[in-house]
Each structure stands twice: as structure tokens, then as C-alpha cells.
Amino acid sequence: MTVIKLTTQAYCKMLLHAAKYPHCAVNGLLVAENQKRKDGQPVLCVDCVPLFHGTLALAPMMEIALTLIDTWCKENKYVIAGYYQANERIKETRPNQFAEKVAARIAENFSEAALIMVDNSNISMGCYDPAISVFEHHDNKWKCRDASIDCCEDWSEAQKIMSALLEDRSYDSLIDFDNHLDDLRNDWTNPEINKSILHLC
Amino acid sequence: MASVSDMYDVTWEEMRDKLRKWREENYRNSEQIVEVGEELIQEHASKLGDDIWIIYEQVMIAALDCSRDDLATTCLHELKKQFQGSHRVKRLAGMRLEALERYDEAFKMYNDILQDDSTNTAARKRKIAILKAQGKSTEAIRELNEYLEQFVGDQEAWHELAELYINEHDYAKAAFSLEELMMTNPHNHLYCEQYAEVKYTQGGIENLELSRKYFAQALKLNNRNMRALFGLYLSASHIAASPKVSAKVKKDNVKYAAWAASQINRAYQLAGHGTKETKCSLKAVEEMLESMQIMPS
């Protein structure tokens, strides 16, 4: 069974998105390199594209985002490999119908797609625990993966860098697709944040 | 740690004006409000005059958002001293209890206000907010509907209702709530655009055509609304591709979609101005629009 793992950049940008809008639900996509994998090799999500904040469950902008980011992926030899969502309420960690629908759509194109729910209560300055639950598609249902499986390629690096980014309030400069739609000059690939993360590595 | 006025080289008047702007435009940038407001209160309280009370209120609510119970309590204390027995202050005390998740006590506080003054809308809305925070969406929706029967002009409440319905995937009722908003705010392009999105999400040819019309209307009201432009492109494309429409409708919608596509490309070109990153996204948009193009059947 294929396991999904996240690089530090993917993990950090996802959590920065949640941290930027603490009072809203947020969602986004995870992308992996589009390459042939050997049996048992995990799917590595190398980047994260933050999409929306606030009211998530509407179709048109999600369709635009999926198509546009799919095109961008093809240019960069990536593939959309996952969907993440952080619910509005701190204690609500289950995926809703909309999350399952989007994840299923992604799975049509990438069979090992993962649905990741951010665990809001585990987001802290110290980043003691990974703040996500990974759901995988089995028998037409999304089932939560065993939490003991490491979700990050290098958890101690991710933890250290995430903590530093939160201290710096880097989330203030994170751009999501909503910000892009408000002003097309806003770049949802977040090159500056990517640079900061690389710098901290 | 450096003070805000040092870090950003601003005067206390500028800080006060910023707070007013955020207050008037209902921004929820609580971290910033706490940073600026706390310094203003601590260093410049005497210069603020009567403004200080509304600033205490604004900073208190922002402090609750940032888990700064110490700051929230200080502000509340000053407000209680100044406005004894005030319902407005009592509501703030209730909000603090909500932030501490002491919902039953908060509930009781709001009920006390309502017993004194049954028309107090703020207390009623906080009770609904508690239901929402507890995940009791069905009850929150029911209470909000009852509230709106009485206070039919409360736009904030209609919008909250629309969003609650969207979260519950009840798009038909969300559309109804947005229709109320559009009736009383016919020039608001955001309501038009969100209504169009709900209609699109509902699906089916009739809803798609309605959604296209409302995306177009939103664009008429604000020709820079990118969501409306993308929405127009999507809805027109889907209608044109549908086997259920007449040849004329197909032809019209191919035209609308083509127009929208050219406008989208233009908007990206204007935003691009030659920087490398935006050149990439311009290319991606062009390709996306091409990949979605409907083949005339």
C-alpha cells in the first residue's frame, strides 16, 4: 500500500495557510513529482498550493483552481496528489462531503491521492506533534491512516522550520488562490516563502 | 521588544486612525489590532479622549481572538468601571466567557440581557454564535431563521445564514438567503457573484444559465471582479458543451465564453508586466483556457 509523505516545504506552507486565517476554514492542494515509482516507494508531496479561506463548499472557483493548477503541474512535471482542509471549528477534524468530493476528483487522475485534514488543536508555536491526519481511499470510503506512520519526510526538520516560520509570522505574507483572485499579481506559488524555507533548512 | 511606533515609524495619531479604519471596515486582523491597540492604550491613553472606550472594546475582542485573556480582562475591567450596568459591556463579558469555552455561563449572561431587553439583537446573535461554535449547525440555522423573521433587515444575519447553508451543502436555501440580500442591495457585486456560485454548484442547465446571468450581472457592477469573469467563462462553456441546449443557445454561449476568455487573458497580461513568475501563470491560464475549449459539435 502506498504511503504519502510530505516534504518540509509542503507541510509548512499548509500549516502557514491555516495559521494565517485562524477564524476561517482553509483548503488547498498538494502536488508530487510526476514520475514512475518503485513498489513500496512512498508518494512524496513536494509542494502545497493554498487555495481558499472562508466559505469553501462552492464549485466554480475550485474548478478553476484545479484546472489552472493542473496546467501548472504539467509544465513543472508535477501532479496533483492530494487535498487538504482545515475546518473552521477547532475540534472538527473530520472531512465533510465537499472535501471527499474534491479528493475523489483528484483520485480519478491520481489513484493514490490523499485527503489531509489539519488538526487545528495541534498547531502550536512549539509544533510538538504533526498537526495533520491523513485519509486514504479504500472501498469507496476515506479512512484515517494510522497516526503513528510518519507523515513527513523529515519530521524534525519540518518541526524546527515550522516553529521558526510561526515565530516570524511568515503566514502574513502567504498568498492563497483567493488572494490571487483579489489581485492577479499575488503569486500563489509563494516563491518568497519557498526561499525562506530553503534558507532555514 | 521594539514598540510598534518605533518599528513602523508611526505616530500615536496614525495608530489611532488605523484602528478606526479597521473598526469601520470590520477587519478581523486581530494580531495587528492587539499589537497597535495595546501600545496605544498603555502609552497614549490620556490623549485618546472619549475614543478610548471604543478602542477598549475593539482591542478586547481582538484580544479574545488571540487568547490574550490578560489584555481582554483589563479592557473589560475599564469598560465595566465606566459603563456600569451596560448591556453592551455585558455582551463583551459574555464573549469572554465564550472564548474560554464556558458556553453555559455565557448563555446565561445573554439570557439575562434578553430578559431585561427582549429586543437586544446583539445578545440573540451571540446565542446563535455559541450554537455555531458548538457545532450545532441545525439549531443555529433554526434560531437564525427565527431571528430573521423578526429582524428581516439584518443583512449580516442573512449573509451568515447563507454561509451556514453552504457549509451544510443546502445550496437551495443558501440561494434563497442570497436572493434576500440581492433584493436589498442590488448594486453589491459580491452578493451577485456569490449567488451565481451557489447556482453553479447546484448544477443542472437552468441553474447554469441563471449562474451565467448573475456572473454577467456582477461583472456589469464591477468589471474587475475576476471571480465573476472566471465564473462567466465556466458557466458559458458548460452550457455550450451540454447536449440539452438548442443550437442557438450553444452558439450564444460559445460567444460569451470566448469573450470571457479574451478578457481573462487580457487581465493576466495587464497584471503580468513582464515579471518571470507571472509570465508562467499567464501561460498556464492560456493553456487552461485552451484545454477547456468546447469543440463545436
Side-chain angles (χ1 to χ4, degrees):
Chain A
M1 199 208 44
T2 341
V3 168
I4 292 250
K5 282 197 186 282
L6 277 66
T7 59
T8 296
Q9 179 168 302
Y11 180 80
C12 288
K13 280 162 80 171
M14 183 171 63
L15 256 53
L16 282 177
H17 193 204
K20 185 180 180 186
Y21 298 105
H23 57 286
C24 295
V26 301
N27 65 2
L29 301 174
L30 292 159
V31 303
E33 280 175 7
N34 196 7
Q35 60 192 40
K36 258 187 141 47
R37 261 182 331 278
K38 295 186 275 255
D39 266 337
Q41 200 182 355
V43 173
L44 187 60
C45 292
V46 298
D47 203 359
C48 148
V49 181
L51 290 180
F52 305 110
H53 56 270
T55 311
L56 304 180
L58 290 174
M61 298 306 121
M62 175 57 84
E63 229 177 279
I64 293 286
L66 280 171
T67 316
L68 187 54
I69 286 150
D70 193 51
T71 313
W72 174 79
C73 274
K74 290 196 170 79
E75 279 171 25
N76 293 280
K77 303 228 181 14
Y78 288 150
V79 65
I80 298 179
Y83 168 82
Y84 73 85
Q85 185 170 301
N87 287 328
E88 190 178 1
R89 291 195 311 119
I90 197 168
K91 296 195 173 99
E92 185 57 72
T93 51
R94 284 164 312 144
N96 60 0
Q97 196 184 76
F98 186 75
E100 295 191 349
K101 275 211 176 112
V102 178
R105 177 93 172 264
I106 295 172
E108 279 172 23
N109 197 35
F110 185 78
S111 54
E112 295 126 329
L115 164 55
I116 293 187
M117 295 303 293
V118 177
D119 185 353
N120 300 306
S121 57
N122 257 339
I123 301 180
S124 63
M125 294 303 281
C127 303
Y128 303 115
D129 289 308
I132 59 177
S133 309
V134 181
F135 289 74
E136 284 155 352
H137 210 198
H138 295 300
D139 313 315
N140 256 332
K141 284 212 187 73
W142 289 95
K143 298 212 179 94
C144 189
R145 184 172 88 187
D146 190 354
S148 62
I149 300 177
D150 237 344
C151 57
C152 286
E153 188 187 22
D154 184 346
W155 169 240
S156 59
E157 177 190 71
Q159 185 181 26
K160 187 184 72 165
I161 293 181
M162 190 69 226
S163 207
L165 290 170
L166 286 177
E167 284 284 343
D168 263 344
R169 282 163 67 161
S170 303
Y171 45 83
D172 278 341
S173 56
L174 183 91
I175 298 293
D176 67 7
F177 202 73
D178 258 334
N179 303 138
H180 174 73
L181 290 172
D182 289 336
D183 183 340
L184 292 184
R185 293 167 298 183
N186 287 330
D187 188 348
W188 43 264
T189 62
N190 289 289
E192 291 304 319
I193 297 204
N194 291 342
K195 272 198 212 118
S196 308
I197 293 175
L198 208 57
H199 189 71
L200 286 165
C201 272
Chain B
M1 207 178 81
S3 69
V4 172
S5 47
D6 282 339
M7 271 204 289
Y8 301 104
D9 195 20
V10 290
T11 60
W12 71 267
E13 291 103 330
E14 285 168 312
M15 288 163 72
R16 177 202 58 195
D17 293 342
K18 255 287 149 67
L19 279 180
R20 184 192 305 127
K21 175 170 184 272
W22 293 333
R23 200 164 56 232
E24 286 171 3
E25 299 184 18
N26 231 335
Y27 282 13
R28 198 167 172 176
N29 53 338
S30 300
E31 268 190 311
Q32 275 183 308
I33 293 174
V34 161
E35 223 181 4
V36 173
E38 186 170 26
E39 191 173 305
L40 212 54
I41 293 171
Q42 281 172 352
E43 312 284 326
H44 307 282
S46 51
K47 306 185 194 100
L48 292 168
D50 274 336
D51 270 351
I52 194 161
W53 307 115
I54 202 158
I55 289 176
Y56 271 133
E57 182 181 48
Q58 181 183 14
V59 173
M60 190 214 156
I61 295 176
L64 292 179
D65 256 354
C66 299
S67 282
R68 286 287 310 274
D69 194 45
D70 57 319
L71 179 57
T73 309
T74 309
C75 296
L76 188 57
H77 178 76
E78 293 299 317
L79 286 166
K80 273 188 175 152
K81 244 180 13 187
Q82 179 73 7
F83 302 101
Q84 294 179 10
S86 149
H87 281 160
R88 186 161 164 178
V89 176
K90 196 157 184 169
R91 177 199 95 144
L92 291 174
M95 282 177 80
R96 177 177 166 268
L97 290 170
E98 285 185 61
L100 297 169
E101 293 184 276
R102 285 153 63 177
Y103 295 121
D104 292 335
E105 292 172 62
F107 216 74
K108 184 174 175 305
M109 198 154 259
Y110 299 135
N111 278 332
D112 284 346
I113 297 177
L114 286 167
Q115 223 167 22
D116 243 6
D117 172 12
S118 58
T119 67
N120 190 305
T121 57
R124 257 180 102 163
K125 289 200 273 192
R126 285 323 307 169
K127 282 172 66 176
I128 295 171
I130 290 177
L131 290 170
K132 191 177 168 190
Q134 293 175 313
K136 299 178 179 163
S137 311
T138 325
E139 287 100 323
I141 288 175
R142 189 184 58 227
E143 295 289 320
L144 194 43
N145 269 305
E146 267 179 41
Y147 170 86
L148 281 165
E149 277 172 32
Q150 230 186 311
F151 298 97
V152 89
D154 189 333
Q155 320 215 339
E156 174 189 72
W158 278 113
H159 203 232
E160 181 66 46
L161 185 61
E163 296 199 339
L164 282 171
Y165 276 132
I166 292 170
N167 284 332
E168 295 300 300
H169 309 302
D170 191 342
Y171 299 109
K173 300 226 179 76
F176 176 72
S177 314
L178 287 166
E179 281 163 20
E180 285 288 331
L181 280 170
M182 287 195 297
M183 256 194 336
T184 47
N185 301 272
H187 300 296
N188 186 316
H189 66 106
L190 297 171
Y191 292 152
C192 252
E193 190 266 310
Q194 198 172 30
Y195 179 74
E197 286 200 52
V198 170
K199 282 293 162 195
Y200 181 99
T201 309
Q202 274 181 286
I205 276 294
E206 273 171 33
N207 286 324
L208 270 181
E209 295 204 295
L210 260 175
S211 96
R212 192 209 64 230
K213 291 197 176 114
Y214 279 91
F215 279 129
Q217 178 66 5
L219 269 175
K220 253 205 306 208
L221 294 170
N222 179 345
N223 62 6
R224 286 185 300 179
N225 185 328
M226 273 317 287
R227 289 179 182 79
L229 194 49
F230 271 122
L232 176 59
Y233 176 77
L234 258 190
S235 49
S237 303
H238 278 297
I239 296 170
S242 164
K244 298 185 193 151
V245 299
S246 69
K248 172 160 195 324
V249 169
K250 208 187 272 289
K251 191 158 160 252
D252 286 342
N253 279 283
V254 168
K255 250 192 349 207
Y256 300 143
W259 179 84
S262 70
Q263 293 297 305
I264 292 171
N265 269 319
R266 189 163 150 267
Y268 270 91
Q269 266 161 7
L270 278 174
H273 287 306
T275 62
K276 179 167 171 284
E277 282 90 24
T278 36
K279 271 217 175 80
C280 279
S281 69
L282 173 59
K283 186 158 177 283
V285 170
E286 281 177 352
E287 289 194 17
M288 173 193 91
L289 291 172
E290 261 183 50
S291 75
M292 288 175 84
Q293 216 158 62
I294 321 303
M295 291 299 121
S297 57

